[in-house]
Amino acid sequence: MDITNFAIALIALGFAAIGLAIPYLVQKYGQDNITKALSIIGILVKAAEQMFQGQNQGKDKLHYVEKEFAKYGIKIDTSLVRAMIESEVYKLKMGA
């Protein structure tokens, strides 16, 4: 198996896991909270990309997004917030 097929399989597995996790997350945190959080985090990630330009700014960007998101008072587990941030960064880098 070459690296391309492996990467495609890994991405497909990730999407399958997300598909299984979404109903659980919606039940646990509520559709409104998940929707608001994704929207806010998407905006904050884009803002961080504009505000912190140059090499080795990842930690500063992450800190900015986490700090600003906390101001909204949406009660979601911090590991989920981190996953949402990473997902938005990935989408931004892939041009989605």
Side-chain angles (χ1 to χ4, degrees):
M1 177 183 274
D2 71 4
I3 191 73
T4 303
N5 289 337
F6 179 73
I8 291 170
L10 191 59
I11 291 169
L13 181 62
F15 281 118
I18 290 169
L20 294 172
I22 288 174
Y24 167 76
L25 296 173
V26 167
Q27 180 182 7
K28 183 173 181 179
Y29 298 110
Q31 180 68 46
D32 287 344
N33 280 344
I34 297 295
T35 302
K36 286 178 189 174
L38 284 170
S39 177
I40 292 166
I41 288 172
I43 292 166
L44 292 172
V45 165
K46 290 173 188 149
E49 288 294 321
Q50 288 297 313
M51 294 168 57
F52 300 95
Q53 302 213 353
Q55 298 283 340
N56 302 317
Q57 298 288 321
K59 288 182 182 181
D60 293 331
K61 293 175 187 179
L62 176 62
H63 178 71
Y64 167 79
V65 174
E66 289 175 332
K67 185 182 85 172
E68 292 300 313
F69 180 74
K71 292 178 182 178
Y72 287 89
I74 298 173
K75 303 296 183 202
I76 293 180
D77 185 82
T78 56
S79 62
L80 177 57
V81 171
R82 177 68 186 263
M84 288 177 169
I85 292 169
E86 294 301 329
S87 174
E88 288 298 319
V89 168
Y90 176 78
K91 287 194 293 188
L92 187 63
K93 289 186 180 200
M94 299 310 280

Coordinates of all heavy atoms in Angstrom, one line a residue:
M1 N 0.9 -1.2 0.0 CA 0.0 0.0 0.0 C 0.9 1.2 0.0 O 1.8 1.4 0.9 CB -0.9 0.0 1.2 CG -1.8 1.2 1.4 SD -2.8 1.2 2.9 CE -4.2 0.3 2.4
D2 N 0.7 2.1 -1.0 CA 1.6 3.3 -1.0 C 1.0 4.3 0.0 O -0.1 4.2 0.5 CB 1.7 3.8 -2.4 CG 0.4 4.4 -3.0 OD1 -0.6 4.5 -2.3 OD2 0.5 4.8 -4.2
I3 N 1.7 5.4 0.2 CA 1.3 6.4 1.2 C 0.0 7.1 0.8 O -0.7 7.5 1.7 CB 2.5 7.4 1.4 CG1 2.3 8.3 2.6 CG2 2.7 8.2 0.2 CD1 2.4 7.6 3.9
T4 N -0.2 7.3 -0.5 CA -1.5 8.0 -0.9 C -2.7 7.2 -0.5 O -3.6 7.7 0.1 CB -1.5 8.2 -2.4 OG1 -0.3 8.9 -2.8 CG2 -2.7 8.9 -2.9
N5 N -2.7 5.9 -0.8 CA -3.8 5.0 -0.4 C -4.0 5.0 1.1 O -5.1 5.0 1.7 CB -3.6 3.6 -0.9 CG -3.8 3.5 -2.4 OD1 -4.5 4.4 -3.0 ND2 -3.3 2.5 -3.0
F6 N -2.8 4.9 1.8 CA -2.9 4.9 3.3 C -3.5 6.2 3.8 O -4.4 6.2 4.7 CB -1.5 4.8 3.9 CG -1.5 4.8 5.4 CD1 -1.9 3.7 6.1 CD2 -1.0 5.9 6.0 CE1 -1.9 3.7 7.5 CE2 -1.0 5.9 7.4 CZ -1.4 4.9 8.2
A7 N -3.1 7.4 3.2 CA -3.6 8.7 3.6 C -5.1 8.8 3.4 O -5.9 9.2 4.2 CB -2.9 9.8 2.9
I8 N -5.6 8.3 2.2 CA -7.0 8.3 1.9 C -7.8 7.4 2.8 O -8.8 7.8 3.3 CB -7.2 7.8 0.4 CG1 -6.6 8.9 -0.5 CG2 -8.7 7.6 0.1 CD1 -6.6 8.5 -2.0
A9 N -7.3 6.2 3.2 CA -7.9 5.4 4.1 C -8.0 6.0 5.5 O -9.0 5.9 6.2 CB -7.2 4.0 4.2
L10 N -7.0 6.7 5.9 CA -6.9 7.3 7.2 C -7.9 8.5 7.2 O -8.7 8.6 8.2 CB -5.5 7.9 7.5 CG -5.3 8.4 8.9 CD1 -5.5 7.3 9.9 CD2 -3.8 8.8 9.0
I11 N -8.0 9.3 6.2 CA -9.0 10.3 6.1 C -10.4 9.8 6.1 O -11.3 10.3 6.8 CB -8.7 11.2 4.9 CG1 -7.4 12.0 5.0 CG2 -9.9 12.2 4.6 CD1 -7.0 12.7 3.8
A12 N -10.7 8.7 5.4 CA -12.0 8.1 5.4 C -12.4 7.6 6.8 O -13.5 7.8 7.2 CB -12.0 7.0 4.4
L13 N -11.4 7.0 7.5 CA -11.7 6.5 8.8 C -12.0 7.7 9.7 O -12.9 7.6 10.6 CB -10.5 5.8 9.4 CG -10.6 5.2 10.7 CD1 -11.7 4.2 10.8 CD2 -9.3 4.5 11.1
G14 N -11.3 8.8 9.6 CA -11.6 10.0 10.4 C -13.0 10.5 10.1 O -13.7 10.9 11.1
F15 N -13.4 10.6 8.9 CA -14.7 11.1 8.6 C -15.8 10.1 9.1 O -16.8 10.6 9.6 CB -14.9 11.3 7.1 CG -14.4 12.5 6.6 CD1 -13.3 12.5 5.6 CD2 -14.8 13.8 7.0 CE1 -12.8 13.7 5.1 CE2 -14.3 15.0 6.5 CZ -13.3 14.9 5.6
A16 N -15.5 8.8 9.1 CA -16.5 7.9 9.7 C -16.6 8.1 11.2 O -17.7 8.0 11.7 CB -16.0 6.4 9.4
A17 N -15.5 8.3 11.8 CA -15.5 8.5 13.3 C -16.3 9.8 13.6 O -17.1 9.8 14.6 CB -14.1 8.6 13.8
I18 N -16.1 10.8 12.8 CA -16.8 12.1 13.0 C -18.3 11.9 12.8 O -19.1 12.3 13.6 CB -16.3 13.2 12.1 CG1 -14.9 13.6 12.5 CG2 -17.2 14.4 12.1 CD1 -14.2 14.5 11.5
G19 N -18.6 11.1 11.8 CA -20.0 10.8 11.6 C -20.7 10.1 12.7 O -21.9 10.3 13.0
L20 N -20.0 9.2 13.4 CA -20.5 8.5 14.5 C -20.6 9.4 15.8 O -21.4 9.3 16.6 CB -19.7 7.3 14.8 CG -19.7 6.2 13.8 CD1 -18.7 5.1 14.1 CD2 -21.1 5.6 13.6
A21 N -19.6 10.3 15.9 CA -19.5 11.2 17.1 C -20.5 12.3 17.1 O -21.0 12.7 18.1 CB -18.1 11.7 17.2
I22 N -20.9 12.8 15.9 CA -21.8 14.0 15.8 C -23.1 13.8 16.6 O -23.5 14.6 17.4 CB -22.0 14.4 14.4 CG1 -20.7 15.1 13.9 CG2 -23.2 15.4 14.3 CD1 -20.7 15.5 12.4
P23 N -23.8 12.7 16.4 CA -25.1 12.5 17.1 C -24.9 12.5 18.6 O -25.7 13.1 19.3 CB -25.6 11.2 16.6 CG -25.0 11.0 15.3 CD -23.7 11.6 15.4
Y24 N -23.8 11.9 19.1 CA -23.5 11.9 20.5 C -23.3 13.3 21.0 O -23.8 13.7 22.0 CB -22.3 11.0 20.8 CG -21.8 11.2 22.2 CD1 -22.4 10.6 23.3 CD2 -20.6 11.9 22.4 CE1 -22.0 10.8 24.6 CE2 -20.1 12.1 23.7 CZ -20.8 11.5 24.7 OH -20.3 11.7 26.0
L25 N -22.5 14.1 20.3 CA -22.1 15.4 20.7 C -23.4 16.3 20.7 O -23.5 17.1 21.6 CB -21.1 16.0 19.8 CG -19.7 15.3 19.8 CD1 -18.8 15.8 18.7 CD2 -19.1 15.4 21.2
V26 N -24.2 16.2 19.7 CA -25.4 17.0 19.7 C -26.3 16.6 20.9 O -26.9 17.5 21.5 CB -26.2 16.7 18.3 CG1 -27.6 17.3 18.4 CG2 -25.4 17.4 17.2
Q27 N -26.4 15.3 21.2 CA -27.2 14.9 22.3 C -26.6 15.5 23.6 O -27.3 16.0 24.5 CB -27.3 13.4 22.4 CG -28.1 12.9 23.6 CD -28.2 11.4 23.7 OE1 -27.5 10.7 22.9 NE2 -29.0 10.9 24.5
K28 N -25.3 15.4 23.8 CA -24.7 15.8 25.0 C -24.7 17.4 25.2 O -24.9 17.8 26.3 CB -23.2 15.3 25.1 CG -22.5 15.6 26.3 CD -21.2 15.0 26.4 CE -20.5 15.3 27.8 NZ -19.2 14.7 27.9
Y29 N -24.4 18.1 24.1 CA -24.2 19.6 24.3 C -25.3 20.4 23.7 O -25.4 21.6 23.9 CB -22.9 20.0 23.6 CG -21.7 19.4 24.3 CD1 -20.9 18.4 23.7 CD2 -21.3 19.7 25.6 CE1 -19.8 17.8 24.3 CE2 -20.2 19.2 26.2 CZ -19.5 18.2 25.5 OH -18.4 17.6 26.2
G30 N -26.2 19.8 22.9 CA -27.3 20.5 22.2 C -26.9 21.0 20.9 O -25.7 21.5 20.7
Q31 N -27.8 20.9 19.9 CA -27.5 21.4 18.6 C -27.1 22.8 18.5 O -26.2 23.2 17.8 CB -28.8 21.1 17.7 CG -28.6 21.5 16.2 CD -27.6 20.7 15.5 OE1 -27.7 19.5 15.6 NE2 -26.7 21.3 14.8
D32 N -27.8 23.7 19.3 CA -27.5 25.1 19.2 C -26.1 25.4 19.7 O -25.4 26.2 19.0 CB -28.5 25.9 20.1 CG -29.9 26.0 19.5 OD1 -30.0 25.7 18.3 OD2 -30.8 26.4 20.2
N33 N -25.7 24.8 20.8 CA -24.3 25.0 21.2 C -23.3 24.5 20.2 O -22.3 25.2 20.0 CB -24.1 24.3 22.6 CG -24.6 25.1 23.7 OD1 -24.9 26.3 23.6 ND2 -24.8 24.5 24.9
I34 N -23.5 23.4 19.6 CA -22.5 22.9 18.7 C -22.5 23.8 17.5 O -21.4 24.2 17.0 CB -22.9 21.4 18.2 CG1 -22.8 20.4 19.4 CG2 -22.0 20.9 17.1 CD1 -21.5 20.2 20.0
T35 N -23.6 24.2 17.0 CA -23.7 25.1 15.8 C -23.0 26.4 16.1 O -22.2 26.9 15.3 CB -25.1 25.3 15.4 OG1 -25.7 24.0 15.1 CG2 -25.2 26.2 14.1
K36 N -23.3 27.0 17.2 CA -22.7 28.3 17.6 C -21.2 28.2 17.8 O -20.5 29.0 17.3 CB -23.3 28.8 18.9 CG -24.7 29.3 18.8 CD -25.2 29.8 20.2 CE -26.7 30.1 20.2 NZ -27.2 30.4 21.5
A37 N -20.8 27.1 18.4 CA -19.4 26.9 18.7 C -18.6 26.7 17.3 O -17.6 27.4 17.2 CB -19.1 25.6 19.5
L38 N -19.1 25.9 16.4 CA -18.5 25.8 15.1 C -18.4 27.1 14.4 O -17.4 27.4 13.8 CB -19.2 24.7 14.3 CG -19.0 23.3 14.7 CD1 -19.9 22.4 14.0 CD2 -17.5 22.9 14.5
S39 N -19.4 27.9 14.4 CA -19.4 29.1 13.7 C -18.4 30.1 14.3 O -17.6 30.7 13.6 CB -20.8 29.7 13.8 OG -20.9 31.0 13.2
I40 N -18.5 30.2 15.6 CA -17.5 31.2 16.3 C -16.1 30.7 16.1 O -15.2 31.6 15.8 CB -17.9 31.2 17.8 CG1 -19.3 31.9 18.0 CG2 -16.8 32.0 18.6 CD1 -19.8 31.8 19.4
I41 N -15.8 29.4 16.3 CA -14.5 29.0 16.1 C -14.0 29.2 14.7 O -12.8 29.6 14.5 CB -14.3 27.5 16.6 CG1 -14.4 27.4 18.1 CG2 -13.0 26.9 16.1 CD1 -14.5 26.0 18.7
G42 N -14.8 29.0 13.7 CA -14.5 29.2 12.3 C -14.0 30.7 12.1 O -13.0 30.9 11.5
I43 N -14.8 31.6 12.6 CA -14.5 33.0 12.5 C -13.2 33.3 13.3 O -12.3 34.0 12.7 CB -15.6 33.9 13.1 CG1 -16.8 33.7 12.2 CG2 -15.2 35.3 13.2 CD1 -18.1 34.3 12.8
L44 N -13.0 32.8 14.5 CA -11.8 33.1 15.2 C -10.5 32.5 14.6 O -9.5 33.1 14.6 CB -12.0 32.5 16.7 CG -13.0 33.3 17.5 CD1 -13.2 32.5 18.9 CD2 -12.6 34.7 17.8
V45 N -10.7 31.3 14.0 CA -9.5 30.7 13.3 C -9.1 31.6 12.2 O -7.9 31.8 12.0 CB -9.8 29.3 12.9 CG1 -8.8 28.8 11.9 CG2 -9.9 28.3 14.1
K46 N -10.0 32.0 11.4 CA -9.7 32.9 10.3 C -9.1 34.2 10.7 O -8.1 34.7 10.1 CB -10.9 33.2 9.4 CG -11.4 32.0 8.7 CD -12.7 32.2 8.0 CE -13.2 30.9 7.4 NZ -14.7 30.8 7.4
A47 N -9.6 34.8 11.8 CA -9.0 36.0 12.4 C -7.6 35.8 12.9 O -6.7 36.6 12.6 CB -9.9 36.5 13.5
A48 N -7.4 34.7 13.5 CA -6.0 34.3 14.0 C -5.0 34.2 12.9 O -3.9 34.6 13.0 CB -6.1 33.1 14.9
E49 N -5.5 33.6 11.8 CA -4.6 33.4 10.6 C -4.2 34.8 10.1 O -3.1 35.0 9.6 CB -5.3 32.6 9.5 CG -5.4 31.1 9.8 CD -4.1 30.4 9.9 OE1 -3.2 30.7 9.1 OE2 -3.9 29.6 10.8
Q50 N -5.1 35.8 10.1 CA -4.8 37.1 9.6 C -3.9 37.9 10.6 O -3.0 38.6 10.2 CB -6.1 37.9 9.4 CG -6.8 37.4 8.2 CD -6.0 37.6 6.9 OE1 -5.4 38.6 6.6 NE2 -6.0 36.6 6.1
M51 N -4.2 37.7 11.9 CA -3.5 38.5 12.9 C -2.1 38.0 13.2 O -1.2 38.8 13.5 CB -4.3 38.5 14.2 CG -5.7 39.2 14.1 SD -6.8 38.8 15.5 CE -5.8 39.4 16.8
F52 N -1.9 36.7 13.1 CA -0.6 36.2 13.5 C 0.1 35.6 12.2 O -0.1 34.4 11.9 CB -0.7 35.1 14.6 CG -1.3 35.6 15.8 CD1 -2.7 35.4 16.1 CD2 -0.5 36.1 16.8 CE1 -3.2 35.9 17.3 CE2 -1.1 36.6 18.0 CZ -2.4 36.5 18.2
Q53 N 0.8 36.4 11.5 CA 1.4 35.9 10.3 C 2.9 35.6 10.5 O 3.5 36.1 11.4 CB 1.2 36.9 9.2 CG -0.3 37.2 9.0 CD -0.6 37.6 7.6 OE1 0.3 37.7 6.7 NE2 -1.9 37.7 7.3
G54 N 3.4 34.7 9.7 CA 4.8 34.3 9.8 C 5.0 33.0 10.3 O 4.0 32.3 10.7
Q55 N 6.2 32.6 10.5 CA 6.6 31.2 10.9 C 6.4 31.1 12.4 O 6.5 32.1 13.2 CB 8.1 31.0 10.6 CG 8.4 31.0 9.2 CD 8.0 29.7 8.5 OE1 7.8 28.7 9.1 NE2 7.8 29.8 7.1
N56 N 6.1 29.9 12.9 CA 6.1 29.5 14.3 C 5.0 30.3 15.1 O 5.3 30.7 16.2 CB 7.4 29.6 14.9 CG 8.4 28.7 14.2 OD1 8.1 27.6 13.9 ND2 9.6 29.2 14.0
Q57 N 3.9 30.6 14.5 CA 2.9 31.4 15.2 C 1.7 30.5 15.7 O 0.7 31.0 16.3 CB 2.3 32.4 14.3 CG 3.3 33.5 13.9 CD 3.7 34.4 15.0 OE1 2.9 34.8 15.8 NE2 5.0 34.7 15.1
G58 N 1.8 29.2 15.5 CA 0.8 28.2 15.9 C 0.3 28.3 17.3 O -0.9 28.3 17.5
K59 N 1.2 28.4 18.2 CA 0.8 28.4 19.6 C 0.0 29.7 20.0 O -0.9 29.7 20.7 CB 2.0 28.3 20.6 CG 2.5 26.9 20.6 CD 3.7 26.7 21.5 CE 4.2 25.3 21.5 NZ 5.3 25.1 22.4
D60 N 0.5 30.8 19.4 CA -0.1 32.1 19.6 C -1.6 32.1 19.0 O -2.5 32.6 19.6 CB 0.7 33.2 19.0 CG 2.0 33.5 19.7 OD1 2.1 33.2 20.9 OD2 3.0 33.9 19.0
K61 N -1.7 31.5 17.8 CA -3.0 31.4 17.2 C -4.0 30.6 18.0 O -5.1 31.0 18.3 CB -2.9 30.8 15.8 CG -2.1 31.7 14.8 CD -2.0 30.9 13.5 CE -1.1 31.6 12.5 NZ -0.9 30.9 11.3
L62 N -3.5 29.4 18.5 CA -4.3 28.5 19.3 C -4.7 29.2 20.6 O -5.9 29.2 21.0 CB -3.5 27.3 19.6 CG -4.3 26.3 20.5 CD1 -5.6 25.8 19.9 CD2 -3.3 25.1 20.9
H63 N -3.8 29.9 21.2 CA -4.1 30.6 22.5 C -5.1 31.7 22.3 O -6.1 31.8 23.0 CB -2.8 31.2 23.1 CG -3.1 32.0 24.3 ND1 -3.4 31.4 25.5 CD2 -3.0 33.3 24.6 CE1 -3.6 32.3 26.4 NE2 -3.4 33.5 25.9
Y64 N -5.0 32.4 21.2 CA -5.9 33.5 20.9 C -7.4 32.9 20.7 O -8.3 33.4 21.3 CB -5.5 34.2 19.6 CG -6.6 35.1 19.0 CD1 -6.8 36.4 19.6 CD2 -7.4 34.7 18.0 CE1 -7.9 37.2 19.1 CE2 -8.4 35.5 17.4 CZ -8.6 36.7 18.0 OH -9.6 37.5 17.5
V65 N -7.5 31.8 19.9 CA -8.8 31.3 19.6 C -9.4 30.7 20.9 O -10.6 31.0 21.2 CB -8.7 30.2 18.5 CG1 -10.0 29.5 18.3 CG2 -8.2 30.8 17.2
E66 N -8.6 30.0 21.7 CA -9.2 29.4 22.9 C -9.6 30.5 23.9 O -10.7 30.4 24.5 CB -8.1 28.5 23.6 CG -7.9 27.2 22.9 CD -6.7 26.4 23.5 OE1 -5.8 27.0 24.1 OE2 -6.8 25.2 23.3
K67 N -8.8 31.6 24.0 CA -9.1 32.7 24.9 C -10.4 33.4 24.5 O -11.3 33.7 25.3 CB -7.9 33.6 25.0 CG -8.1 34.7 26.0 CD -6.9 35.7 26.0 CE -7.1 36.6 24.9 NZ -6.3 37.7 24.7
E68 N -10.4 33.7 23.2 CA -11.6 34.5 22.7 C -12.9 33.6 22.7 O -13.9 34.1 23.1 CB -11.3 34.9 21.3 CG -10.3 36.0 21.2 CD -10.6 37.3 22.0 OE1 -11.8 37.8 21.9 OE2 -9.8 37.7 22.7
F69 N -12.7 32.3 22.4 CA -13.9 31.4 22.5 C -14.5 31.3 23.9 O -15.7 31.3 24.1 CB -13.6 30.0 21.9 CG -14.8 29.1 21.9 CD1 -15.8 29.3 21.0 CD2 -14.9 28.1 22.9 CE1 -16.9 28.4 21.1 CE2 -16.0 27.3 23.0 CZ -17.0 27.4 22.0
A70 N -13.6 31.3 24.9 CA -14.1 31.2 26.3 C -14.9 32.3 26.7 O -15.8 32.2 27.5 CB -12.8 31.1 27.2
K71 N -14.8 33.5 26.0 CA -15.6 34.7 26.4 C -17.0 34.5 26.0 O -17.9 35.2 26.6 CB -15.0 35.9 25.6 CG -13.7 36.3 26.1 CD -13.2 37.5 25.3 CE -11.8 38.0 25.7 NZ -11.3 39.1 24.9
Y72 N -17.4 33.6 25.1 CA -18.7 33.4 24.7 C -19.5 32.5 25.7 O -20.8 32.5 25.6 CB -18.8 32.7 23.3 CG -18.4 33.7 22.3 CD1 -17.1 33.9 21.9 CD2 -19.4 34.5 21.7 CE1 -16.7 34.8 20.9 CE2 -19.0 35.5 20.7 CZ -17.7 35.6 20.3 OH -17.4 36.5 19.4
G73 N -18.9 31.9 26.6 CA -19.5 31.1 27.7 C -20.3 29.8 27.2 O -21.2 29.4 27.9
I74 N -19.9 29.3 26.1 CA -20.6 28.1 25.6 C -19.9 26.9 26.3 O -18.7 26.8 26.3 CB -20.4 28.0 24.1 CG1 -21.1 29.1 23.4 CG2 -21.0 26.6 23.6 CD1 -20.9 29.2 21.9
K75 N -20.7 26.1 27.0 CA -20.2 25.0 27.8 C -20.0 23.8 26.9 O -20.9 23.0 26.7 CB -21.2 24.7 28.9 CG -21.5 25.9 29.8 CD -20.2 26.3 30.5 CE -20.6 27.5 31.5 NZ -19.5 28.3 31.9
I76 N -18.8 23.6 26.5 CA -18.3 22.5 25.7 C -17.0 22.1 26.2 O -16.1 22.9 26.5 CB -18.3 22.8 24.2 CG1 -19.7 23.1 23.7 CG2 -17.6 21.7 23.4 CD1 -19.7 23.5 22.2
D77 N -16.8 20.8 26.3 CA -15.5 20.2 26.7 C -14.3 20.8 26.0 O -14.4 21.0 24.8 CB -15.6 18.7 26.5 CG -14.4 18.0 27.1 OD1 -14.3 17.7 28.3 OD2 -13.4 17.7 26.3
T78 N -13.2 21.1 26.7 CA -12.1 21.7 26.1 C -11.4 20.8 25.0 O -10.9 21.4 24.0 CB -11.0 22.1 27.1 OG1 -10.7 20.9 27.9 CG2 -11.5 23.1 28.1
S79 N -11.5 19.5 25.1 CA -10.9 18.7 24.1 C -11.7 18.8 22.8 O -11.2 18.7 21.7 CB -10.8 17.2 24.6 OG -12.0 16.7 24.9
L80 N -13.0 18.9 23.0 CA -13.9 19.1 21.8 C -13.6 20.5 21.1 O -13.6 20.6 19.9 CB -15.4 19.0 22.1 CG -16.4 19.2 21.0 CD1 -16.1 18.2 19.9 CD2 -17.8 19.0 21.5
V81 N -13.4 21.5 21.9 CA -13.1 22.8 21.4 C -11.8 22.7 20.6 O -11.7 23.2 19.5 CB -13.0 23.9 22.5 CG1 -12.4 25.2 22.0 CG2 -14.4 24.1 23.2
R82 N -10.8 22.0 21.2 CA -9.5 21.9 20.5 C -9.7 21.1 19.1 O -9.1 21.5 18.1 CB -8.6 21.1 21.4 CG -7.2 20.9 20.8 CD -6.4 22.1 20.5 NE -5.2 21.9 19.8 CZ -4.0 21.7 20.3 NH1 -3.9 21.8 21.6 NH2 -3.0 21.5 19.6
A83 N -10.5 20.1 19.2 CA -10.8 19.3 17.9 C -11.5 20.2 16.9 O -11.2 20.2 15.7 CB -11.6 18.1 18.2
M84 N -12.4 21.1 17.3 CA -13.1 22.0 16.4 C -12.1 23.0 15.8 O -12.2 23.3 14.6 CB -14.2 22.7 17.1 CG -15.4 21.9 17.5 SD -16.6 22.9 18.4 CE -18.0 21.8 18.4
I85 N -11.2 23.5 16.6 CA -10.2 24.4 16.2 C -9.3 23.7 15.1 O -9.1 24.3 14.0 CB -9.3 24.9 17.3 CG1 -10.2 25.8 18.2 CG2 -8.1 25.7 16.8 CD1 -9.5 26.2 19.6
E86 N -8.8 22.5 15.4 CA -8.0 21.8 14.4 C -8.7 21.5 13.1 O -8.2 21.6 12.1 CB -7.5 20.5 15.1 CG -6.5 20.7 16.2 CD -5.3 21.5 15.8 OE1 -4.8 21.5 14.7 OE2 -4.8 22.2 16.7
S87 N -10.0 21.2 13.3 CA -10.8 20.9 12.1 C -11.0 22.2 11.2 O -10.9 22.1 10.0 CB -12.2 20.5 12.5 OG -13.1 20.3 11.4
E88 N -11.2 23.3 11.9 CA -11.3 24.6 11.1 C -10.0 25.0 10.5 O -9.9 25.5 9.3 CB -11.8 25.7 12.0 CG -13.3 25.6 12.4 CD -14.2 25.6 11.2 OE1 -14.0 26.4 10.3 OE2 -15.1 24.8 11.2
V89 N -8.9 24.7 11.2 CA -7.5 25.0 10.6 C -7.3 24.1 9.3 O -6.9 24.6 8.3 CB -6.4 24.8 11.6 CG1 -5.0 24.8 11.0 CG2 -6.5 25.9 12.7
Y90 N -7.7 22.9 9.5 CA -7.5 22.0 8.3 C -8.4 22.4 7.2 O -7.9 22.5 6.0 CB -8.0 20.6 8.8 CG -7.9 19.6 7.6 CD1 -6.7 19.0 7.2 CD2 -9.1 19.2 7.0 CE1 -6.7 18.1 6.2 CE2 -9.1 18.3 5.9 CZ -7.9 17.7 5.5 OH -7.9 16.9 4.5
K91 N -9.6 22.8 7.4 CA -10.5 23.3 6.3 C -9.9 24.5 5.7 O -9.9 24.7 4.4 CB -11.9 23.5 6.8 CG -12.7 22.3 7.1 CD -14.2 22.5 7.3 CE -14.5 23.3 8.5 NZ -16.0 23.4 8.7
L92 N -9.4 25.4 6.5 CA -8.8 26.6 6.0 C -7.6 26.3 5.1 O -7.5 26.9 4.0 CB -8.4 27.6 7.1 CG -8.0 29.0 6.8 CD1 -9.1 29.7 6.1 CD2 -7.5 29.7 8.0
K93 N -6.8 25.4 5.5 CA -5.5 25.1 4.7 C -5.9 24.3 3.5 O -5.2 24.4 2.5 CB -4.6 24.3 5.6 CG -3.9 25.2 6.7 CD -2.9 24.5 7.4 CE -2.3 25.5 8.5 NZ -1.1 25.1 9.0
M94 N -7.0 23.6 3.5 CA -7.4 22.8 2.3 C -8.2 23.6 1.4 O -8.6 23.1 0.3 CB -8.1 21.5 2.7 CG -7.3 20.6 3.6 SD -5.7 20.2 2.9 CE -6.1 19.0 1.7
G95 N -8.6 24.8 1.8 CA -9.3 25.7 0.9 C -10.8 25.4 0.9 O -11.5 25.8 0.0
A96 N -11.3 24.7 1.9 CA -12.7 24.4 1.9 C -13.5 25.5 2.5 O -13.2 26.3 3.2 CB -12.9 23.1 2.8

